[in-house]
Amino acid sequence: MCLATPAKIVGFNQDKILIEKDGATMEVSAFLLPKAKIGDWILYVNDLAIKKIDAEEAREILRLVESPRNKVKTELLSGKFKKIIEKAHQNDLNKGEIIYLLNSEGMEKDALLAEADITRRAFIKDFICIHGIIEFSNYCENDCAYCGLRSANGAIERYRMSIDEIKETAKQAAVEKGYKLLVLQSGEDNFYTDDMLVELIKQIKSVCRVFIFMSCGERGFECYKKMKNAGASGALLRFETSSQSLFTKIHPQGKNLENRIEHLRFLKELGYFITTGSLIGLPGQTIEDLADDILLIAPRAHMVSMGPFIPCDNTPMENCPAGDPEMNLKMIAVLRLLMPTARIPVTTALETLLGEDGRKRALAAGANALMMNLTPKKYRSLYKIYPGRFFDNDSLWQKYGLFKYEESYKMLEERMAKEIKRK
């Protein structure tokens, strides 16, 4: 569901509530709030008023979504920068122009982030989508050089959740808290057979109305077809890097970039809502590689998942420096300009490096979604893809972003259908 926007009622027009937003008056449907009156503060999503709140609650929400405004003196921006931004709004950037934006610093960097924020607000307003993730297994058959879940890491305590345990966690999230979209994530763990994953999806769908995104690695066409038929709506599969040499370096066991891209191709063919992206700041990665990552993401993804590399102990890359979170913000901004309606979540890795301020800075750079960790507490710290992971302690996002109304499910369904049609 999306974080609702607060507004003050200034009048009524038959069955519509009139609210004031950004200096203008707009109408929203009043059927859920028949007793609302002028002067009340409400929450609304799209054109639907959903809940009355008090003035202090309204101020709390506004503080969550308020963007830090940098004063950009446009007269100091280069002509080249301005032309590239104009082209970006036409979804027409070449690799060299993307590199120019990724290299931006100072006033031009501020202008890039501000332009992305304006684009987000123009196309999707303040609708910050809130999704949940359940990490159901930290076993992995891969030996990726950067990841703490790698099969060769004998220092990690492993766990697997049972089908019933995953189902109950999902049911609690959807029925009790109001989540409408859940990502079920694991390492590439073939303990869970195709039939088990299908049964898991069917059981969750039988007890709650929720969109299910699967994030369980390269399972092949037939498995993803079965999961789609069982009721899965989306798939999260990062390609990690568009560089063949770098991909080979981080996958010493022989993983193939072409196979990863082929998975993204057939996921689209099967009708999945596709989430993909890359790691930013991998050792040996260049700015050219990052530009190629953007060019790979933009035509394929409905939702973008990318975060900075964070070194993890007991991996071959444990002594390498972390990726630059500032580059992550610029990547978000460029992709927002190229993909004005896409979902771009704030990743936990970015929040880990930037701390409490990371979420707000990412939203101000064009991000528009949050991924809340719903893994049971007894397992949460064991899903150690990197150390010191950020976990959300602010219930305000869940308090104001999750609603149990049927209308909220329909809104998400409509938005996802529109995005799939665009690709």
Side-chain angles (χ1 to χ4, degrees), residues 97-130:
E97 291 161 341
I98 292 172
I99 290 171
Y100 184 94
L101 293 179
L102 294 180
N103 277 322
S104 63
E105 295 296 340
M107 186 67 72
E108 288 194 345
K109 176 189 172 186
D110 290 343
L112 169 63
L113 302 186
E115 193 69 22
D117 185 35
I118 291 169
T119 299
R120 174 181 67 83
R121 291 172 182 273
F123 282 86
I124 37 189
K125 300 183 171 51
D126 283 326
F127 300 143
I128 311 301
C129 298
I130 300 173

PDB file of all heavy atoms in Angstrom, residues 97-130:
ATOM      1  N   GLU A  97      25.741  10.482 -21.941  1.00  0.00           N
ATOM      2  CA  GLU A  97      24.947  11.456 -21.176  1.00  0.00           C
ATOM      3  C   GLU A  97      24.653  10.942 -19.769  1.00  0.00           C
ATOM      4  O   GLU A  97      24.652  11.717 -18.802  1.00  0.00           O
ATOM      5  CB  GLU A  97      23.652  11.749 -21.928  1.00  0.00           C
ATOM      6  CG  GLU A  97      23.891  12.537 -23.217  1.00  0.00           C
ATOM      7  CD  GLU A  97      22.743  12.469 -24.203  1.00  0.00           C
ATOM      8  OE1 GLU A  97      21.907  11.545 -24.097  1.00  0.00           O
ATOM      9  OE2 GLU A  97      22.683  13.348 -25.085  1.00  0.00           O
ATOM     10  N   ILE A  98      24.435   9.633 -19.642  1.00  0.00           N
ATOM     11  CA  ILE A  98      24.235   9.053 -18.314  1.00  0.00           C
ATOM     12  C   ILE A  98      25.512   9.188 -17.485  1.00  0.00           C
ATOM     13  O   ILE A  98      25.469   9.551 -16.303  1.00  0.00           O
ATOM     14  CB  ILE A  98      23.819   7.572 -18.433  1.00  0.00           C
ATOM     15  CG1 ILE A  98      22.423   7.469 -19.044  1.00  0.00           C
ATOM     16  CG2 ILE A  98      23.855   6.885 -17.059  1.00  0.00           C
ATOM     17  CD1 ILE A  98      21.998   6.055 -19.388  1.00  0.00           C
ATOM     18  N   ILE A  99      26.654   8.931 -18.102  1.00  0.00           N
ATOM     19  CA  ILE A  99      27.934   9.075 -17.407  1.00  0.00           C
ATOM     20  C   ILE A  99      28.113  10.512 -16.925  1.00  0.00           C
ATOM     21  O   ILE A  99      28.572  10.763 -15.798  1.00  0.00           O
ATOM     22  CB  ILE A  99      29.108   8.652 -18.323  1.00  0.00           C
ATOM     23  CG1 ILE A  99      29.070   7.130 -18.529  1.00  0.00           C
ATOM     24  CG2 ILE A  99      30.447   9.078 -17.744  1.00  0.00           C
ATOM     25  CD1 ILE A  99      30.051   6.632 -19.580  1.00  0.00           C
ATOM     26  N   TYR A 100      27.730  11.477 -17.752  1.00  0.00           N
ATOM     27  CA  TYR A 100      27.845  12.887 -17.370  1.00  0.00           C
ATOM     28  C   TYR A 100      27.034  13.146 -16.097  1.00  0.00           C
ATOM     29  O   TYR A 100      27.526  13.797 -15.152  1.00  0.00           O
ATOM     30  CB  TYR A 100      27.358  13.793 -18.499  1.00  0.00           C
ATOM     31  CG  TYR A 100      27.533  15.268 -18.214  1.00  0.00           C
ATOM     32  CD1 TYR A 100      28.666  15.955 -18.639  1.00  0.00           C
ATOM     33  CD2 TYR A 100      26.557  15.983 -17.508  1.00  0.00           C
ATOM     34  CE1 TYR A 100      28.826  17.308 -18.371  1.00  0.00           C
ATOM     35  CE2 TYR A 100      26.714  17.330 -17.229  1.00  0.00           C
ATOM     36  CZ  TYR A 100      27.847  17.989 -17.665  1.00  0.00           C
ATOM     37  OH  TYR A 100      28.012  19.329 -17.379  1.00  0.00           O
ATOM     38  N   LEU A 101      25.804  12.643 -16.039  1.00  0.00           N
ATOM     39  CA  LEU A 101      24.966  12.860 -14.858  1.00  0.00           C
ATOM     40  C   LEU A 101      25.516  12.141 -13.636  1.00  0.00           C
ATOM     41  O   LEU A 101      25.485  12.674 -12.521  1.00  0.00           O
ATOM     42  CB  LEU A 101      23.536  12.400 -15.140  1.00  0.00           C
ATOM     43  CG  LEU A 101      22.751  13.209 -16.186  1.00  0.00           C
ATOM     44  CD1 LEU A 101      21.363  12.615 -16.383  1.00  0.00           C
ATOM     45  CD2 LEU A 101      22.655  14.678 -15.803  1.00  0.00           C
ATOM     46  N   LEU A 102      26.042  10.937 -13.827  1.00  0.00           N
ATOM     47  CA  LEU A 102      26.598  10.193 -12.701  1.00  0.00           C
ATOM     48  C   LEU A 102      27.873  10.837 -12.165  1.00  0.00           C
ATOM     49  O   LEU A 102      28.222  10.654 -10.991  1.00  0.00           O
ATOM     50  CB  LEU A 102      26.870   8.739 -13.099  1.00  0.00           C
ATOM     51  CG  LEU A 102      25.644   7.881 -13.431  1.00  0.00           C
ATOM     52  CD1 LEU A 102      26.076   6.467 -13.795  1.00  0.00           C
ATOM     53  CD2 LEU A 102      24.655   7.846 -12.272  1.00  0.00           C
ATOM     54  N   ASN A 103      28.551  11.597 -12.997  1.00  0.00           N
ATOM     55  CA  ASN A 103      29.762  12.310 -12.570  1.00  0.00           C
ATOM     56  C   ASN A 103      29.457  13.677 -11.975  1.00  0.00           C
ATOM     57  O   ASN A 103      30.360  14.368 -11.508  1.00  0.00           O
ATOM     58  CB  ASN A 103      30.725  12.492 -13.745  1.00  0.00           C
ATOM     59  CG  ASN A 103      31.585  11.262 -13.990  1.00  0.00           C
ATOM     60  OD1 ASN A 103      32.015  10.599 -13.051  1.00  0.00           O
ATOM     61  ND2 ASN A 103      31.836  10.951 -15.258  1.00  0.00           N
ATOM     62  N   SER A 104      28.195  14.082 -11.977  1.00  0.00           N
ATOM     63  CA  SER A 104      27.841  15.429 -11.520  1.00  0.00           C
ATOM     64  C   SER A 104      28.158  15.604 -10.034  1.00  0.00           C
ATOM     65  O   SER A 104      27.999  14.690  -9.234  1.00  0.00           O
ATOM     66  CB  SER A 104      26.357  15.713 -11.781  1.00  0.00           C
ATOM     67  OG  SER A 104      25.540  14.826 -11.036  1.00  0.00           O
ATOM     68  N   GLU A 105      28.616  16.796  -9.697  1.00  0.00           N
ATOM     69  CA  GLU A 105      28.912  17.150  -8.309  1.00  0.00           C
ATOM     70  C   GLU A 105      28.429  18.578  -8.060  1.00  0.00           C
ATOM     71  O   GLU A 105      28.064  19.301  -8.980  1.00  0.00           O
ATOM     72  CB  GLU A 105      30.417  17.044  -8.023  1.00  0.00           C
ATOM     73  CG  GLU A 105      30.984  15.636  -8.109  1.00  0.00           C
ATOM     74  CD  GLU A 105      30.420  14.686  -7.061  1.00  0.00           C
ATOM     75  OE1 GLU A 105      29.886  15.180  -6.040  1.00  0.00           O
ATOM     76  OE2 GLU A 105      30.498  13.466  -7.262  1.00  0.00           O
ATOM     77  N   GLY A 106      28.437  18.978  -6.803  1.00  0.00           N
ATOM     78  CA  GLY A 106      28.099  20.358  -6.482  1.00  0.00           C
ATOM     79  C   GLY A 106      26.699  20.747  -6.934  1.00  0.00           C
ATOM     80  O   GLY A 106      25.727  20.013  -6.728  1.00  0.00           O
ATOM     81  N   MET A 107      26.615  21.916  -7.565  1.00  0.00           N
ATOM     82  CA  MET A 107      25.325  22.455  -7.969  1.00  0.00           C
ATOM     83  C   MET A 107      24.600  21.546  -8.952  1.00  0.00           C
ATOM     84  O   MET A 107      23.380  21.390  -8.894  1.00  0.00           O
ATOM     85  CB  MET A 107      25.533  23.846  -8.584  1.00  0.00           C
ATOM     86  CG  MET A 107      24.239  24.579  -8.911  1.00  0.00           C
ATOM     87  SD  MET A 107      23.293  25.041  -7.430  1.00  0.00           S
ATOM     88  CE  MET A 107      24.327  26.373  -6.787  1.00  0.00           C
ATOM     89  N   GLU A 108      25.354  20.923  -9.876  1.00  0.00           N
ATOM     90  CA  GLU A 108      24.699  20.061 -10.854  1.00  0.00           C
ATOM     91  C   GLU A 108      24.163  18.784 -10.203  1.00  0.00           C
ATOM     92  O   GLU A 108      23.100  18.285 -10.582  1.00  0.00           O
ATOM     93  CB  GLU A 108      25.641  19.752 -12.015  1.00  0.00           C
ATOM     94  CG  GLU A 108      25.864  20.961 -12.910  1.00  0.00           C
ATOM     95  CD  GLU A 108      26.502  20.619 -14.247  1.00  0.00           C
ATOM     96  OE1 GLU A 108      27.029  19.497 -14.382  1.00  0.00           O
ATOM     97  OE2 GLU A 108      26.476  21.484 -15.147  1.00  0.00           O
ATOM     98  N   LYS A 109      24.865  18.257  -9.230  1.00  0.00           N
ATOM     99  CA  LYS A 109      24.345  17.101  -8.505  1.00  0.00           C
ATOM    100  C   LYS A 109      23.064  17.477  -7.769  1.00  0.00           C
ATOM    101  O   LYS A 109      22.059  16.737  -7.808  1.00  0.00           O
ATOM    102  CB  LYS A 109      25.390  16.584  -7.507  1.00  0.00           C
ATOM    103  CG  LYS A 109      24.878  15.431  -6.654  1.00  0.00           C
ATOM    104  CD  LYS A 109      25.858  15.092  -5.542  1.00  0.00           C
ATOM    105  CE  LYS A 109      25.253  14.080  -4.581  1.00  0.00           C
ATOM    106  NZ  LYS A 109      26.127  13.825  -3.412  1.00  0.00           N
ATOM    107  N   ASP A 110      23.078  18.632  -7.088  1.00  0.00           N
ATOM    108  CA  ASP A 110      21.875  19.090  -6.390  1.00  0.00           C
ATOM    109  C   ASP A 110      20.713  19.257  -7.371  1.00  0.00           C
ATOM    110  O   ASP A 110      19.566  18.904  -7.064  1.00  0.00           O
ATOM    111  CB  ASP A 110      22.145  20.414  -5.685  1.00  0.00           C
ATOM    112  CG  ASP A 110      23.082  20.281  -4.498  1.00  0.00           C
ATOM    113  OD1 ASP A 110      23.268  19.142  -4.020  1.00  0.00           O
ATOM    114  OD2 ASP A 110      23.635  21.305  -4.056  1.00  0.00           O
ATOM    115  N   ALA A 111      21.013  19.778  -8.544  1.00  0.00           N
ATOM    116  CA  ALA A 111      19.974  19.993  -9.552  1.00  0.00           C
ATOM    117  C   ALA A 111      19.421  18.666 -10.063  1.00  0.00           C
ATOM    118  O   ALA A 111      18.217  18.525 -10.293  1.00  0.00           O
ATOM    119  CB  ALA A 111      20.525  20.821 -10.709  1.00  0.00           C
ATOM    120  N   LEU A 112      20.301  17.673 -10.241  1.00  0.00           N
ATOM    121  CA  LEU A 112      19.874  16.350 -10.692  1.00  0.00           C
ATOM    122  C   LEU A 112      18.916  15.726  -9.685  1.00  0.00           C
ATOM    123  O   LEU A 112      17.831  15.233 -10.052  1.00  0.00           O
ATOM    124  CB  LEU A 112      21.094  15.443 -10.876  1.00  0.00           C
ATOM    125  CG  LEU A 112      20.821  13.950 -11.099  1.00  0.00           C
ATOM    126  CD1 LEU A 112      20.054  13.729 -12.397  1.00  0.00           C
ATOM    127  CD2 LEU A 112      22.134  13.161 -11.097  1.00  0.00           C
ATOM    128  N   LEU A 113      19.284  15.752  -8.394  1.00  0.00           N
ATOM    129  CA  LEU A 113      18.440  15.152  -7.365  1.00  0.00           C
ATOM    130  C   LEU A 113      17.116  15.904  -7.246  1.00  0.00           C
ATOM    131  O   LEU A 113      16.048  15.294  -7.090  1.00  0.00           O
ATOM    132  CB  LEU A 113      19.170  15.147  -6.020  1.00  0.00           C
ATOM    133  CG  LEU A 113      20.522  14.416  -5.964  1.00  0.00           C
ATOM    134  CD1 LEU A 113      21.053  14.383  -4.536  1.00  0.00           C
ATOM    135  CD2 LEU A 113      20.419  13.010  -6.509  1.00  0.00           C
ATOM    136  N   ALA A 114      17.180  17.238  -7.323  1.00  0.00           N
ATOM    137  CA  ALA A 114      15.960  18.041  -7.228  1.00  0.00           C
ATOM    138  C   ALA A 114      15.030  17.769  -8.406  1.00  0.00           C
ATOM    139  O   ALA A 114      13.809  17.701  -8.249  1.00  0.00           O
ATOM    140  CB  ALA A 114      16.321  19.526  -7.166  1.00  0.00           C
ATOM    141  N   GLU A 115      15.597  17.621  -9.598  1.00  0.00           N
ATOM    142  CA  GLU A 115      14.782  17.349 -10.784  1.00  0.00           C
ATOM    143  C   GLU A 115      14.100  15.992 -10.671  1.00  0.00           C
ATOM    144  O   GLU A 115      12.935  15.823 -11.070  1.00  0.00           O
ATOM    145  CB  GLU A 115      15.658  17.404 -12.032  1.00  0.00           C
ATOM    146  CG  GLU A 115      14.891  17.448 -13.339  1.00  0.00           C
ATOM    147  CD  GLU A 115      14.141  18.750 -13.552  1.00  0.00           C
ATOM    148  OE1 GLU A 115      14.506  19.765 -12.931  1.00  0.00           O
ATOM    149  OE2 GLU A 115      13.167  18.739 -14.335  1.00  0.00           O
ATOM    150  N   ALA A 116      14.808  15.011 -10.106  1.00  0.00           N
ATOM    151  CA  ALA A 116      14.207  13.688  -9.903  1.00  0.00           C
ATOM    152  C   ALA A 116      13.071  13.755  -8.887  1.00  0.00           C
ATOM    153  O   ALA A 116      12.029  13.107  -9.055  1.00  0.00           O
ATOM    154  CB  ALA A 116      15.278  12.698  -9.439  1.00  0.00           C
ATOM    155  N   ASP A 117      13.261  14.540  -7.834  1.00  0.00           N
ATOM    156  CA  ASP A 117      12.219  14.714  -6.827  1.00  0.00           C
ATOM    157  C   ASP A 117      10.982  15.366  -7.444  1.00  0.00           C
ATOM    158  O   ASP A 117       9.842  14.946  -7.198  1.00  0.00           O
ATOM    159  CB  ASP A 117      12.758  15.570  -5.681  1.00  0.00           C
ATOM    160  CG  ASP A 117      11.776  15.690  -4.521  1.00  0.00           C
ATOM    161  OD1 ASP A 117      11.067  14.710  -4.243  1.00  0.00           O
ATOM    162  OD2 ASP A 117      11.709  16.770  -3.912  1.00  0.00           O
ATOM    163  N   ILE A 118      11.186  16.376  -8.260  1.00  0.00           N
ATOM    164  CA  ILE A 118      10.076  17.045  -8.941  1.00  0.00           C
ATOM    165  C   ILE A 118       9.348  16.067  -9.864  1.00  0.00           C
ATOM    166  O   ILE A 118       8.119  16.051  -9.938  1.00  0.00           O
ATOM    167  CB  ILE A 118      10.593  18.266  -9.732  1.00  0.00           C
ATOM    168  CG1 ILE A 118      11.062  19.354  -8.769  1.00  0.00           C
ATOM    169  CG2 ILE A 118       9.520  18.807 -10.675  1.00  0.00           C
ATOM    170  CD1 ILE A 118      11.837  20.477  -9.437  1.00  0.00           C
ATOM    171  N   THR A 119      10.123  15.234 -10.563  1.00  0.00           N
ATOM    172  CA  THR A 119       9.519  14.249 -11.478  1.00  0.00           C
ATOM    173  C   THR A 119       8.671  13.249 -10.709  1.00  0.00           C
ATOM    174  O   THR A 119       7.553  12.903 -11.119  1.00  0.00           O
ATOM    175  CB  THR A 119      10.621  13.509 -12.261  1.00  0.00           C
ATOM    176  OG1 THR A 119      11.365  14.470 -13.028  1.00  0.00           O
ATOM    177  CG2 THR A 119      10.033  12.465 -13.187  1.00  0.00           C
ATOM    178  N   ARG A 120       9.205  12.764  -9.576  1.00  0.00           N
ATOM    179  CA  ARG A 120       8.424  11.828  -8.752  1.00  0.00           C
ATOM    180  C   ARG A 120       7.109  12.463  -8.316  1.00  0.00           C
ATOM    181  O   ARG A 120       6.035  11.852  -8.434  1.00  0.00           O
ATOM    182  CB  ARG A 120       9.217  11.403  -7.520  1.00  0.00           C
ATOM    183  CG  ARG A 120       8.405  10.544  -6.543  1.00  0.00           C
ATOM    184  CD  ARG A 120       9.205  10.157  -5.314  1.00  0.00           C
ATOM    185  NE  ARG A 120       9.544  11.287  -4.467  1.00  0.00           N
ATOM    186  CZ  ARG A 120       8.706  11.796  -3.554  1.00  0.00           C
ATOM    187  NH1 ARG A 120       7.493  11.305  -3.405  1.00  0.00           N
ATOM    188  NH2 ARG A 120       9.094  12.798  -2.793  1.00  0.00           N
ATOM    189  N   ARG A 121       7.175  13.686  -7.831  1.00  0.00           N
ATOM    190  CA  ARG A 121       5.963  14.358  -7.349  1.00  0.00           C
ATOM    191  C   ARG A 121       4.983  14.630  -8.482  1.00  0.00           C
ATOM    192  O   ARG A 121       3.769  14.560  -8.300  1.00  0.00           O
ATOM    193  CB  ARG A 121       6.339  15.650  -6.631  1.00  0.00           C
ATOM    194  CG  ARG A 121       7.048  15.431  -5.308  1.00  0.00           C
ATOM    195  CD  ARG A 121       7.576  16.724  -4.700  1.00  0.00           C
ATOM    196  NE  ARG A 121       8.288  16.447  -3.475  1.00  0.00           N
ATOM    197  CZ  ARG A 121       7.721  16.362  -2.276  1.00  0.00           C
ATOM    198  NH1 ARG A 121       6.414  16.514  -2.154  1.00  0.00           N
ATOM    199  NH2 ARG A 121       8.450  16.118  -1.204  1.00  0.00           N
ATOM    200  N   ALA A 122       5.507  14.926  -9.660  1.00  0.00           N
ATOM    201  CA  ALA A 122       4.630  15.238 -10.792  1.00  0.00           C
ATOM    202  C   ALA A 122       3.879  14.000 -11.262  1.00  0.00           C
ATOM    203  O   ALA A 122       2.695  14.074 -11.622  1.00  0.00           O
ATOM    204  CB  ALA A 122       5.449  15.823 -11.940  1.00  0.00           C
ATOM    205  N   PHE A 123       4.556  12.841 -11.255  1.00  0.00           N
ATOM    206  CA  PHE A 123       3.941  11.624 -11.802  1.00  0.00           C
ATOM    207  C   PHE A 123       3.239  10.767 -10.752  1.00  0.00           C
ATOM    208  O   PHE A 123       2.238  10.116 -11.048  1.00  0.00           O
ATOM    209  CB  PHE A 123       4.992  10.790 -12.538  1.00  0.00           C
ATOM    210  CG  PHE A 123       5.324  11.302 -13.906  1.00  0.00           C
ATOM    211  CD1 PHE A 123       6.280  12.288 -14.084  1.00  0.00           C
ATOM    212  CD2 PHE A 123       4.653  10.820 -15.020  1.00  0.00           C
ATOM    213  CE1 PHE A 123       6.580  12.784 -15.357  1.00  0.00           C
ATOM    214  CE2 PHE A 123       4.947  11.302 -16.289  1.00  0.00           C
ATOM    215  CZ  PHE A 123       5.910  12.286 -16.461  1.00  0.00           C
ATOM    216  N   ILE A 124       3.778  10.726  -9.529  1.00  0.00           N
ATOM    217  CA  ILE A 124       3.181   9.854  -8.514  1.00  0.00           C
ATOM    218  C   ILE A 124       2.962  10.553  -7.183  1.00  0.00           C
ATOM    219  O   ILE A 124       2.630   9.912  -6.198  1.00  0.00           O
ATOM    220  CB  ILE A 124       4.038   8.583  -8.309  1.00  0.00           C
ATOM    221  CG1 ILE A 124       5.515   8.873  -8.395  1.00  0.00           C
ATOM    222  CG2 ILE A 124       3.655   7.503  -9.238  1.00  0.00           C
ATOM    223  CD1 ILE A 124       6.405   7.666  -8.428  1.00  0.00           C
ATOM    224  N   LYS A 125       3.131  11.869  -7.176  1.00  0.00           N
ATOM    225  CA  LYS A 125       2.853  12.700  -6.006  1.00  0.00           C
ATOM    226  C   LYS A 125       3.620  12.159  -4.790  1.00  0.00           C
ATOM    227  O   LYS A 125       4.753  11.753  -4.911  1.00  0.00           O
ATOM    228  CB  LYS A 125       1.350  12.784  -5.780  1.00  0.00           C
ATOM    229  CG  LYS A 125       0.615  13.401  -6.979  1.00  0.00           C
ATOM    230  CD  LYS A 125      -0.842  13.542  -6.744  1.00  0.00           C
ATOM    231  CE  LYS A 125      -1.513  14.365  -7.846  1.00  0.00           C
ATOM    232  NZ  LYS A 125      -1.225  13.942  -9.213  1.00  0.00           N
ATOM    233  N   ASP A 126       2.992  12.182  -3.620  1.00  0.00           N
ATOM    234  CA  ASP A 126       3.671  11.720  -2.401  1.00  0.00           C
ATOM    235  C   ASP A 126       3.288  10.298  -2.033  1.00  0.00           C
ATOM    236  O   ASP A 126       3.272   9.919  -0.863  1.00  0.00           O
ATOM    237  CB  ASP A 126       3.344  12.647  -1.223  1.00  0.00           C
ATOM    238  CG  ASP A 126       4.129  13.943  -1.291  1.00  0.00           C
ATOM    239  OD1 ASP A 126       5.275  13.917  -1.760  1.00  0.00           O
ATOM    240  OD2 ASP A 126       3.588  14.982  -0.881  1.00  0.00           O
ATOM    241  N   PHE A 127       2.965   9.477  -3.037  1.00  0.00           N
ATOM    242  CA  PHE A 127       2.554   8.108  -2.759  1.00  0.00           C
ATOM    243  C   PHE A 127       3.789   7.232  -2.539  1.00  0.00           C
ATOM    244  O   PHE A 127       4.399   6.756  -3.490  1.00  0.00           O
ATOM    245  CB  PHE A 127       1.697   7.565  -3.900  1.00  0.00           C
ATOM    246  CG  PHE A 127       0.435   8.364  -4.129  1.00  0.00           C
ATOM    247  CD1 PHE A 127      -0.041   8.566  -5.397  1.00  0.00           C
ATOM    248  CD2 PHE A 127      -0.249   8.918  -3.055  1.00  0.00           C
ATOM    249  CE1 PHE A 127      -1.198   9.308  -5.603  1.00  0.00           C
ATOM    250  CE2 PHE A 127      -1.403   9.658  -3.249  1.00  0.00           C
ATOM    251  CZ  PHE A 127      -1.883   9.850  -4.528  1.00  0.00           C
ATOM    252  N   ILE A 128       4.170   7.073  -1.278  1.00  0.00           N
ATOM    253  CA  ILE A 128       5.321   6.258  -0.915  1.00  0.00           C
ATOM    254  C   ILE A 128       4.820   4.844  -0.645  1.00  0.00           C
ATOM    255  O   ILE A 128       4.145   4.598   0.348  1.00  0.00           O
ATOM    256  CB  ILE A 128       6.042   6.822   0.329  1.00  0.00           C
ATOM    257  CG1 ILE A 128       6.306   8.312   0.178  1.00  0.00           C
ATOM    258  CG2 ILE A 128       7.328   6.037   0.577  1.00  0.00           C
ATOM    259  CD1 ILE A 128       7.153   8.692  -1.017  1.00  0.00           C
ATOM    260  N   CYS A 129       5.118   3.919  -1.546  1.00  0.00           N
ATOM    261  CA  CYS A 129       4.585   2.561  -1.441  1.00  0.00           C
ATOM    262  C   CYS A 129       5.351   1.756  -0.390  1.00  0.00           C
ATOM    263  O   CYS A 129       6.582   1.809  -0.329  1.00  0.00           O
ATOM    264  CB  CYS A 129       4.665   1.868  -2.795  1.00  0.00           C
ATOM    265  SG  CYS A 129       3.680   2.714  -4.054  1.00  0.00           S
ATOM    266  N   ILE A 130       4.609   1.032   0.418  1.00  0.00           N
ATOM    267  CA  ILE A 130       5.193   0.276   1.523  1.00  0.00           C
ATOM    268  C   ILE A 130       4.939  -1.217   1.309  1.00  0.00           C
ATOM    269  O   ILE A 130       3.794  -1.664   1.267  1.00  0.00           O
ATOM    270  CB  ILE A 130       4.606   0.736   2.866  1.00  0.00           C
ATOM    271  CG1 ILE A 130       4.923   2.227   3.068  1.00  0.00           C
ATOM    272  CG2 ILE A 130       5.163  -0.093   4.020  1.00  0.00           C
ATOM    273  CD1 ILE A 130       4.253   2.822   4.281  1.00  0.00           C
TER     274      ILE A 130
END
